[in-house]
Amino acid sequence: MSLRAHDVTWTAQGRPVIDGVTVEIPPGGHTALLGPNGSGKSTFLRLLAGLLRPEGGTVLLSGHDLHRLPRRAVARRMAVVAQEVSSEVEMTVLDVVLLGRIPHHRRLAAVAGEEDLTYARRALGRCGAAELEQRRWPTLSGGERQRVNIARALAQEPTELLLDEPTNHLDIAHQLALLDLLAAIPVTVVTALHDLNLAARYCDHLLLLHRGRLVAAGPPEQVLTGETVERVYGVRAEITTSPTGRPGLHFLGPSLRAPSL
Amino acid sequence: MRRRPGAALLIVLGLLLLLLSIAAASVVGAAGLSPADVVRTVAAHAGLPVEPLAPLDDGIIWELRLPRVLLAVLVGAGLSVCGAVLQALARNPLADPYLLGISSGASTGAVAVLVLGLGAGAAALSAGAFAGSALAFCCVLAVIGRGFGNTVRVVLAGVMVSQLFSALTSLTVIWAADAQSTRGVTFWLLGSLASASWASAGLCAAVAAAGMLACLPACSALDAFAFGREAAASLGIAPARTELLLFTVTALTTAVLVAASGAIGFVGLIVPHAVRALTGGRHRVLLPACALYGGVFLLAADAVARTAFAPREIPVGMLTALIGVPAFALVLRRTKEARA
């Protein structure tokens, strides 16, 4: 049960977006994928999810090259919550969550059965969305949609769950509730995040990307140092220990140093 | 199994409605034949021991009306299902069966046959239309290249190729047409079921059935596409393969239907929307319901087309818009109100 990337590269129009990244995702933990805009977070998450094929290097799922495994077999292990795409979906919440059962159907033509329904309802319950079951998707708020998205992913019964900036467009209460939920589920979670304080508070392993390269990896107090933050984000930050025992960042202003390469 | 009384009810209702419409449409017409006459004709041709009708009446029912009724149901059903599939794949509510250049290609092919005298009769016309459609679809595939994932590119490729073939059609008509063939072309372009025969209905039945069989196993995949291509991929579906398969199936099905009936507009656009407003977006229910209600819709439109202005017949393609727009507006209003 492990997810690793070995010397992975990806280019877009001749420009390297991901440049030789090697990481190991700790099983069972919550890993945050951090980095400034354009650092390659989303691309790297897609590479880990097998949605993009690396141009160099390999992504290994339990030691197997991800792109040599059957797509459906991968989907039975790994679930992805992408950034919000569509609101024009004419389905009920239960139907949306049942989409997560597709990889488990014996044939693609199979109809959702009792077992699928049980898994879908359990996933909704875990996400605190049981009462939304019969609601139509277009009527949901942003926070409700995100909970249903995660329920759909959990209905896949994944061992790995990958999320691309799931806290976007959520107010602070919903952001905390969502990250609490992710902390409570017993699967390996990888989340691309913008908010360094949330990452420090909720994640036990941080990966910091800068211009397509991995510049730091480890526990929050090791990765989020004033020096690293200033070098990668070009921002001065004072770092204290917050009441939760995790690092807390206070941003002071733009870096006074010339940006390093 | 999930129990959905709403969905099951809609399917049963559609089936009843279809049977009723077939019965009604077989009776309606200028010749003043009764339902009993229709039953007797069918029974006689089925080899049952009943006394057949007079040859003229028998011919009207057996050679003209029944193939036409059957063709209307098949074309309406086929276009609606293709429209629903393409709307899901292109994730575009404006998608219809003619999205990928099929109708323009068919027009070019049919006009080439009619005007340039490449052959004679309905069979040559249909063959020309099918060849034109296939050519247009190949052009669209060539323009899209490997960019299936980019729905904007797919739609643009379809629009471009449609424009190209429309221009070719106009050019052919202007260059070589006389008044008689121009009128024939106009009638054909608007779509009409007047040339229905057992042969064309049989061919359409086979193709529509094959198309439906190819689409039904893809229902889950189509559902998964609702949240985009990547979501489908992360659910274990191969998006490019699904897209190529379904684009090809719908294109070929549409090409055969258009070759038999001309480019009847609007059915493949509005029936999926109207049915989706009733059934929701799950394709396992949506596609069969589209087949049933699409068949009923075109059958009704055609019955009106051939009787309302008798003895003159108007192209059914005009009527689908005349009936369809108000009906669609009503559905749209009702669903909006239901949501509010």
Side-chain angles (χ1 to χ4, degrees):
Chain A
M1 296 293 154
S2 71
L3 184 60
R4 286 193 295 141
H6 182 72
D7 197 20
V8 166
T9 60
W10 172 264
T11 56
Q13 281 142 17
R15 197 178 58 87
V17 178
I18 293 297
D19 191 2
V21 173
T22 298
V23 298
E24 185 155 1
I25 308 295
H30 189 169
T31 301
L33 202 51
L34 304 173
N37 290 333
S39 58
K41 290 193 300 288
S42 285
T43 304
F44 190 60
L45 199 77
R46 282 184 173 73
L47 287 161
L48 280 181
L51 297 175
L52 292 176
R53 195 187 195 108
E55 287 167 12
T58 45
V59 176
L60 298 166
L61 185 61
S62 294
H64 299 285
D65 184 344
L66 197 56
H67 281 277
R68 288 173 185 277
L69 294 170
R71 208 182 273 269
R72 269 157 58 77
V74 173
R76 283 195 287 266
R77 275 205 46 185
M78 191 148 66
V80 183
V81 176
Q83 289 192 43
E84 172 74 46
V85 275
S86 179
S87 58
E88 291 293 312
V89 175
E90 270 305 325
M91 286 197 235
T92 64
V93 164
L94 185 61
D95 287 330
V96 170
V97 176
L98 280 168
L99 290 178
R101 300 301 303 164
I102 290 176
H104 295 277
H105 292 169
R106 234 166 288 132
R107 295 175 303 125
L108 279 178
V111 191
E114 281 301 339
E115 193 191 303
D116 297 317
L117 210 54
T118 309
Y119 277 111
R121 293 215 163 106
R122 188 188 300 164
L124 271 171
R126 264 193 195 168
C127 299
E131 79 284 358
L132 299 178
E133 189 181 300
Q134 293 304 328
R135 286 269 298 279
R136 292 173 42 254
W137 175 263
T139 66
L140 300 183
S141 72
E144 290 169 334
R145 277 183 196 181
Q146 208 53 286
R147 273 187 283 158
V148 174
N149 273 332
I150 292 169
R152 191 206 69 214
L154 291 182
Q156 270 174 266
E157 299 169 78
T159 51
E160 276 85 14
L161 174 59
L162 278 57
L163 306 98
D164 194 2
E165 300 192 19
T167 54
N168 267 5
H169 312 302
L170 297 186
D171 63 41
I172 185 66
H174 280 101
Q175 292 187 20
L176 298 183
L178 184 114
L179 289 164
D180 274 324
L181 165 65
L182 291 177
I185 53 180
V187 298
T188 306
V189 180
V190 184
T191 312
L193 273 179
H194 258 308
D195 192 313
L196 301 180
N197 278 309
L198 286 182
R201 164 72 181 83
Y202 282 96
C203 303
D204 22 60
H205 191 73
L206 308 187
L207 302 170
L208 182 58
L209 288 176
H210 185 39
R211 295 178 184 172
R213 296 197 173 159
L214 186 70
V215 291
E221 55 279 7
Q222 207 173 312
V223 171
L224 294 176
T225 63
E227 198 275 325
T228 310
V229 169
E230 183 162 3
R231 184 159 58 90
V232 170
Y233 286 90
V235 165
R236 285 176 299 130
E238 188 187 306
I239 301 187
T240 58
T241 300
S242 80
T244 59
R246 298 295 187 101
L249 287 78
H250 309 277
F251 301 107
L252 307 173
S255 171
L256 304 174
R257 295 190 307 197
S260 67
L261 287 178
Chain B
M1 271 298 299
R2 278 182 290 158
R3 292 269 170 258
R4 297 251 174 190
L9 196 70
L10 275 166
I11 296 284
V12 172
L13 200 68
L15 211 55
L16 282 175
L17 211 56
L18 184 63
L19 292 174
L20 270 175
S21 328
I22 290 176
S26 315
V27 175
V28 167
L33 296 160
S34 70
D37 294 334
V38 176
V39 173
R40 244 170 79 195
T41 310
V42 174
H45 281 272
L48 295 174
V50 292
E51 194 185 331
L53 263 65
L56 183 66
D57 289 345
D58 181 86
I60 288 176
I61 292 174
W62 187 253
E63 297 301 332
L64 296 178
R65 223 170 259 172
L66 290 180
R68 184 167 182 163
V69 163
L70 193 59
L71 188 66
V73 170
L74 291 166
V75 171
L79 290 180
S80 304
V81 171
C82 288
V85 170
L86 287 171
Q87 281 165 9
L89 280 185
R91 291 186 291 291
N92 188 327
L94 292 178
D96 76 351
Y98 308 137
L99 176 74
L100 302 177
I102 305 302
S103 62
S104 314
S107 304
T108 308
V111 164
V113 168
L114 271 174
V115 172
L116 304 178
L118 295 178
L125 195 73
S126 294
F130 183 80
S133 300
L135 185 66
F137 179 59
C138 289
C139 289
V140 171
L141 283 187
V143 174
I144 296 173
R146 297 186 63 188
F148 275 127
N150 188 339
T151 55
V152 173
R153 192 161 156 182
V154 170
V155 173
L156 278 180
V159 170
M160 265 167 54
V161 170
S162 294
Q163 293 292 333
L164 176 70
F165 277 78
S166 298
L168 286 176
T169 307
S170 305
L171 190 67
T172 317
V173 169
I174 289 169
W175 180 39
D178 54 76
Q180 182 60 36
S181 53
T182 308
R183 199 179 138 72
V185 168
T186 314
F187 202 81
W188 196 88
L189 287 183
L190 286 169
S192 164
L193 298 159
S195 63
S197 65
W198 282 112
S200 64
L203 180 63
C204 286
V207 169
M212 195 72 185
L213 279 180
C215 288
L216 278 181
C219 280
S220 298
L222 286 170
D223 288 350
F225 266 91
F227 286 91
R229 230 170 164 259
E230 282 201 335
S234 71
L235 290 170
I237 284 149
R241 209 168 56 201
T242 309
E243 281 159 344
L244 184 62
L245 173 78
L246 290 178
F247 278 142
T248 307
V249 165
T250 53
L252 293 181
T253 308
T254 308
V256 171
L257 299 176
V258 168
S261 66
I264 296 173
F266 219 62
V267 181
L269 177 67
I270 59 142
V271 171
H273 282 298
V275 172
R276 198 179 289 113
L278 298 171
T279 64
R282 289 167 314 126
H283 289 82
R284 186 161 306 287
V285 181
L286 179 64
L287 295 189
C290 274
L292 292 172
Y293 288 97
V296 170
F297 176 71
L298 193 59
L299 187 54
D302 186 53
V304 175
R306 64 188 163 87
T307 54
F309 301 94
R312 181 171 292 187
E313 183 171 307
I314 56 172
V316 68
M318 264 162 59
L319 259 182
T320 51
L322 285 177
I323 301 176
V325 172
F328 184 46
L330 202 71
V331 170
L332 214 60
R333 273 185 74 97
R334 285 182 64 97
T335 49
K336 267 219 176 107
E337 277 160 16
R339 268 170 220 180

